[in-house]
């Protein structure tokens, strides 16, 4: 975040530096061009302006020399020569201001104003010299006096030449100075340019370093995320595997998948697994995402039900297929058990209804037996029939007891928790199973010292059901133990005692105990070792919820040759009981 905030000002600074560098570079170039041009111009000026002044001066000197020579001995040829010189000199004068060079010279000294007034003098001198006769004795003196009229022109030309020379010297001096001082300004500009570029390079490098840092940081974050993801996938209780769609090779799998298939990716079991997945996926395996439901033969005879999804993923930068499967084997068997429980519930309802309906005929039989006895009593020799009637009556009573218990067992528990006699409830439960225990040859011992009038709070019917379930479980445990083997001693001991503020009921058998793997999940729903037509695995979980509703606890332990179930319940005040301490 901080980096991205800083990036804009740095970008603007860089843009500024680049623009400055380019501007300075152009300025340096233009400066160089202008200096070169200026130098060229100066050189040309020096050459041309000095040259015309010098030529005029030269012509004047030659003319003067001619005058001096003819003033001594005038000759006709000499006079002609002098006229020619004067005319050449005359032609040089306009050049001093009316030519390109002359105009440059006028910039240094006002040649026109200086020379133009003297042109007329020179014209008259030319005319006068042209009219002279060499034979005339006066010619020499006349030449001397004419010559004196040219003195101002000589002075003017001298001045022009001197000023031109002085100017040229100044130019030369400046040129030399320029040549000697190697362009400081361009040098400075170039230095600034270089500095700017170096700064640009430094900023660019710094920005690249920061970006590199950001990229490395992002890469580290991605790596950490990936390893977190792998750890999460490893911890997921579902089977997760990544396979290459072309070769079917497995490139990743988590611990659950390893325990389901194999921990070795080269194991042929993986090939079979991937094959089974693709067969189950069918069309779904060719789309990007699809549901999957399959049975996998884990080992001979052991089928595992799996349900989940298959989808395309980008794993390790390659397109692969991700398979996520949950083991639904237990869910399926739980579903079967729920169905069984529902069936048993219906059966229970029917049993209750039948017990209710049987009461009527039993009452009629009982009444008929009583009437028959009354009729037989005055008769002699009816003792044998009376004895039979007595037996019928007792069997009807027994049948009535059984139907009463079935009805009680099937009754809906009431919402209200009331105090009830624990001893009475236990006795009812015992009487309910007494017949079955007798048939199964189980000796049920109720320990002496059983408190007589302990009251507990709860729903009595439900508590009876808990006790019946524990006693029936003990009976089933004996049958499971002795299946195939000869009959062995079958004993169940029921004891009841008071500890601190609680009453503790213990039901102990010698049926071999609960297996180690069942112990931790015994009270969970659907935990059963019985076949689905016999057990539901709901009894103990129901028992736990009933006991909890009574603010009590239920636990199990393997003791001696069997299992001991312990129920601890709080007393219902007031505690009445002869044996209660
Ligand atoms: P179910 O009787 O329908 O299986 P329960 O919840 O009543 O359901 O019992 C669960 C399991 O606990 C039984 O399948 C059995 O394996 C085990 N069990 C219960 N009581 C005993 C016992 N007294 N001895 C050994 N195992 C027992």
């Amino acid at each position: 975040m901080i980096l991205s905030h800083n990036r804009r000002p740095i970008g603007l600074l860089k843009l500024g530096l680049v623009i400055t560098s380019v501007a300075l570079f152009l300025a340096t170039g233009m400066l160089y061009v202008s200096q070169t041009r200026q130098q060229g111009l100066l050189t040309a000026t020096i050459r041309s302006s000095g040259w015309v002044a010098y030529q005029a001066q030269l012509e004047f000197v030659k003319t003067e020399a001619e005058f001096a020579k003819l003033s001594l001995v005038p000759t006709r040829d000499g006079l002609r020569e002098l006229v020619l010189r004067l005319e050449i000199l005359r032609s040089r004068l306009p050049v001093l201001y009316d030519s390109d060079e002359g105009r440059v010279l006028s910039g240094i000294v006002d040649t026109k104003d200086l020379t133009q007034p003297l042109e007329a003098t020179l014209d008259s001198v030319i005319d006068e010299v042209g009219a002279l006769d060499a034979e005339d004795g006066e010619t020499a003196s006349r030449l001397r006096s004419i010559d004196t009229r040219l003195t101002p022109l000589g002075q003017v030309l001298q001045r022009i030449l001197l000023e031109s020379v002085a100017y040229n010297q100044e130019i030369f001096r400046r040129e030399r100075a320029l040549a000697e001082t190697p362009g400081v300004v361009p040098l400075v500009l170039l230095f600034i340019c270089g500095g700017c570029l170096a700064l640009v390079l430094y900023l660019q490098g710094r920005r690249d370093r920061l970006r590199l840092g950001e990229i490395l940081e992002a890469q580290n974050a991605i790596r950490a995320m990936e390893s977190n993801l792998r750890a999460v996938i490893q911890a997921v209780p579902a089977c997760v595997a990544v396979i290459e769609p072309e070769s079917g090779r497995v490139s990743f799998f988590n611990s659950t998948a390893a325990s389901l298939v194999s921990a070795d990716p080269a194991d042929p079991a993986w090939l079979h697994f991937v094959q089974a997945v693709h067969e189950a996926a069918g069309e779904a395996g060719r789309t990007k995402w699809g549901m999957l439901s399959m049975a996998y033969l884990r080992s001979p005879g052991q089928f595992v039900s799996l349900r989940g999804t298959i989808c395309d993923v980008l794993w390790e930068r390659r397109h692969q297929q991700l398979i996520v499967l949950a083991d639904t084997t237990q869910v399926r068997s739980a579903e079967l058990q729920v169905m069984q429980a529902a069936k048993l519930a219906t059966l229970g309802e029917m049993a209750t209804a039948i017990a209710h309906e049987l009461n009527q005929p039993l009452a009629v039989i009982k009444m008929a037996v009583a009437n028959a006895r009354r009729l037989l009593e005055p008769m002699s020799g009816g003792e044998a029939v009376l004895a039979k009637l007595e037996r019928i009556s007792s069997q009807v009573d027994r049948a009535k007891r059984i139907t009463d218990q079935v009805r009680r067992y099937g009754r809906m528990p009431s919402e209200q928790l009331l105090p009830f006699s624990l001893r009475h409830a236990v006795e009812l439960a015992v009487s309910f199973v007494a017949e079955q225990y007798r048939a199964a040859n189980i000796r049920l011992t109720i320990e002496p010292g059983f408190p007589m009038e302990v009251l507990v709070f709860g729903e009595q019917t439900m508590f009876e059901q808990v006790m019946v379930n524990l006693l029936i479980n003990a009976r089933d445990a004996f049958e499971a133990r002795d299946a195939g083997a000869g009959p062995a001693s079958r004993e169940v001991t029921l004891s009841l005692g008071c500890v601190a503020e609680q009453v503790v009921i213990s039901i102990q058998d010698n049926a071999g105990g609960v297996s180690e793997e069942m112990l931790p999940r015994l009270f969970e729903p659907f935990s059963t070792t019985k076949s689905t037509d016999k057990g539901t695995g709901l009894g103990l979980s129901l028992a736990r919820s009933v006991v909890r509703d009574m603010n009590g606890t239920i636990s199990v332990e393997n003791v001696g040759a069997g299992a001991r179930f312990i129920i601890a319940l709080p007393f219902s005040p007031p505690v009445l009981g002869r044996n209660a301490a």
Side-chain angles (χ1 to χ4, degrees):
M1 285 298 281
I2 298 166
L3 296 177
S4 52
H5 274 308
N6 283 344
R7 211 174 283 157
R8 183 169 289 182
I10 288 177
L12 288 174
L13 181 63
K14 256 172 32 189
L15 186 69
L17 286 170
V18 169
I19 291 171
T20 312
S21 301
V22 171
L24 287 175
F25 184 77
L26 289 176
T28 310
M30 280 161 67
L31 202 70
Y32 176 78
V33 170
S34 100
Q35 273 195 352
T36 314
R37 231 187 249 167
Q38 216 179 350
Q39 235 169 330
L41 197 69
L42 278 172
T43 312
T45 308
I46 289 159
R47 207 183 292 140
S48 53
S49 64
W51 182 243
V52 289
Y54 171 75
Q55 276 185 332
Q57 180 68 21
L58 190 68
E59 283 308 319
F60 181 78
V61 170
K62 281 181 183 173
T63 309
E64 280 299 290
E66 204 62 42
F67 262 112
K69 195 172 82 183
L70 289 178
S71 298
L72 296 174
V73 186
T75 61
R76 192 176 298 147
D77 291 341
L79 286 173
R80 254 202 315 273
E81 183 73 19
L82 181 59
V83 170
L84 191 65
R85 282 279 153 220
L86 285 168
E87 279 173 351
I88 291 170
L89 179 61
R90 173 67 179 87
S91 69
R92 292 284 173 202
L93 293 186
V95 175
L96 288 174
Y97 57 86
D98 207 14
S99 65
D100 285 346
E101 295 83 355
R103 274 189 283 276
V104 173
L105 196 59
S106 298
I108 302 161
V109 54
D110 194 359
T111 46
K112 192 172 183 178
D113 282 356
L114 286 171
T115 54
Q116 216 171 23
L118 295 170
E119 281 174 11
T121 312
L122 192 55
D123 288 340
S124 68
V125 167
I126 291 168
D127 290 343
E128 280 182 45
V129 172
L132 287 176
D133 182 5
E135 304 301 320
D136 190 352
E138 292 293 308
T139 300
S141 60
R142 294 250 338 249
L143 277 171
R144 273 192 291 278
S145 80
I146 291 169
D147 185 26
T148 52
R149 283 168 50 203
L150 287 179
T151 306
L153 180 62
Q155 287 167 347
V156 163
L157 288 177
Q158 181 83 14
R159 187 180 152 195
I160 289 171
L161 183 63
L162 284 177
E163 292 211 18
S164 162
V165 167
Y167 178 78
N168 286 346
Q169 271 176 350
E170 176 60 22
I171 296 301
F172 273 122
R173 193 188 59 75
R174 260 200 259 166
E175 204 180 22
R176 210 166 32 250
L178 262 177
E180 278 168 11
T181 49
V184 175
V185 174
L187 207 66
V188 169
L189 292 177
L190 277 173
F191 184 75
I192 293 170
C193 264
C196 288
L197 284 172
L199 198 58
V200 168
L201 286 175
Y202 166 74
L203 289 174
Q204 184 72 31
R206 189 162 164 265
R207 197 196 63 173
D208 289 349
R209 265 202 313 281
L210 290 176
R211 276 201 186 155
L212 195 69
E214 277 176 19
I215 289 167
L216 287 176
E217 213 171 291
Q219 276 178 348
N220 285 342
I222 288 170
R223 243 177 258 132
M225 218 166 71
E226 255 181 32
S227 75
N228 279 352
L229 189 70
R230 276 174 192 255
V232 169
I233 292 175
Q234 281 294 358
V236 165
C239 159
V240 181
V242 179
I243 55 171
E244 287 180 353
E246 303 304 324
S247 63
R249 202 178 67 81
V250 59
S251 50
F252 173 83
F253 53 84
N254 69 349
S255 50
T256 315
S259 59
L260 179 75
V261 187
S262 165
D264 178 10
D267 193 326
W270 274 110
L271 268 181
H272 295 143
F273 177 76
V274 172
Q275 219 170 348
V277 166
H278 279 152
E279 273 168 23
E283 274 305 310
R286 281 181 275 283
T287 56
K288 280 194 177 304
W289 189 92
M291 292 291 292
L292 198 60
S293 182
M294 61 183 271
Y296 172 61
L297 184 65
R298 189 181 188 177
S299 55
Q302 196 195 356
F303 269 103
V304 184
S305 294
L306 298 166
R307 199 177 296 165
T309 53
I310 180 167
C311 60
D312 280 358
V313 285
L314 198 65
W315 188 271
E316 288 166 353
R317 300 200 194 111
R318 278 177 293 143
H319 283 283
Q320 304 196 47
Q321 281 185 314
L322 174 75
I323 301 162
V324 183
L325 293 168
D327 185 345
T328 52
T329 315
Q330 283 198 349
V331 176
R332 273 191 62 74
S333 80
E335 280 170 4
L336 290 175
Q337 284 176 347
V338 167
M339 274 164 60
Q340 181 65 9
K343 276 198 307 197
L344 288 179
T346 317
L347 213 60
E349 279 171 24
M350 281 166 65
T352 315
I354 291 167
H356 180 74
E357 290 305 316
L358 278 179
N359 266 352
Q360 200 66 22
L362 283 176
V364 173
I365 294 169
K366 182 88 178 161
M367 213 177 338
V369 169
N371 287 340
R373 281 173 66 178
R374 211 174 40 248
L375 290 172
L376 274 174
E377 261 166 13
M379 293 182 198
S380 59
E383 287 79 12
V385 180
L386 275 174
K388 296 266 182 233
L389 285 175
E390 184 60 33
R391 225 168 130 210
I392 291 170
S393 175
S394 76
Q395 289 305 312
V396 167
D397 284 346
R398 186 158 169 246
K400 175 101 174 54
R401 261 201 324 275
I402 292 169
T403 54
D404 279 352
Q405 278 158 350
V406 170
R407 282 172 60 209
R408 184 183 284 273
Y409 197 77
R411 209 176 63 203
M412 277 288 283
S414 86
E415 298 280 314
Q416 206 185 0
L417 299 182
L418 297 168
F420 65 87
S421 160
L422 191 60
R423 183 190 174 97
H424 184 56
V426 170
E427 278 173 355
L428 280 171
V430 168
S431 67
F432 187 78
V433 299
E435 194 56 39
Q436 298 175 45
Y437 265 45
R438 212 171 298 128
N441 203 17
I442 301 167
R443 196 151 67 98
L444 179 64
T445 312
I446 300 177
E447 279 198 347
F450 206 93
M452 291 307 288
E453 287 305 331
V454 174
L455 293 184
V456 289
F457 256 120
E459 219 292 311
Q460 186 178 339
T461 322
M462 294 303 282
F463 183 74
E464 283 168 24
Q465 198 170 330
V466 169
M467 290 303 295
V468 167
N469 187 58
L470 293 177
L471 291 167
I472 295 288
N473 273 350
R475 183 205 65 184
D476 292 345
F478 283 124
E479 276 169 17
R481 183 194 69 178
D482 300 335
S489 90
R490 296 179 167 191
E491 287 186 17
V492 174
T493 309
L494 224 161
S495 64
L496 212 145
C498 297
V499 179
E501 298 284 292
Q502 290 188 311
V503 57
V504 177
I505 309 137
S506 145
I507 301 137
Q508 186 175 343
D509 60 54
N510 63 340
V514 182
S515 66
E516 282 302 315
E517 69 163 31
M518 276 293 281
L519 261 182
R521 53 190 180 91
L522 199 71
F523 293 99
E524 286 173 15
F526 307 114
S527 293
T528 183
T529 52
K530 297 172 194 170
S531 58
T532 40
D533 57 328
K534 279 197 91 183
T536 60
L538 291 170
L540 288 179
S541 94
L542 192 71
R544 185 173 59 175
S545 74
V546 170
V547 173
R548 270 188 193 160
D549 286 348
M550 295 170 77
N551 290 326
T553 57
I554 181 168
S555 59
V556 65
E557 57 188 0
N558 284 329
V559 176
R564 176 156 67 191
F565 284 87
I566 299 161
I567 299 173
L569 296 170
F571 290 129
S572 158
V575 180
L576 302 171
R578 268 170 272 163
N579 298 346

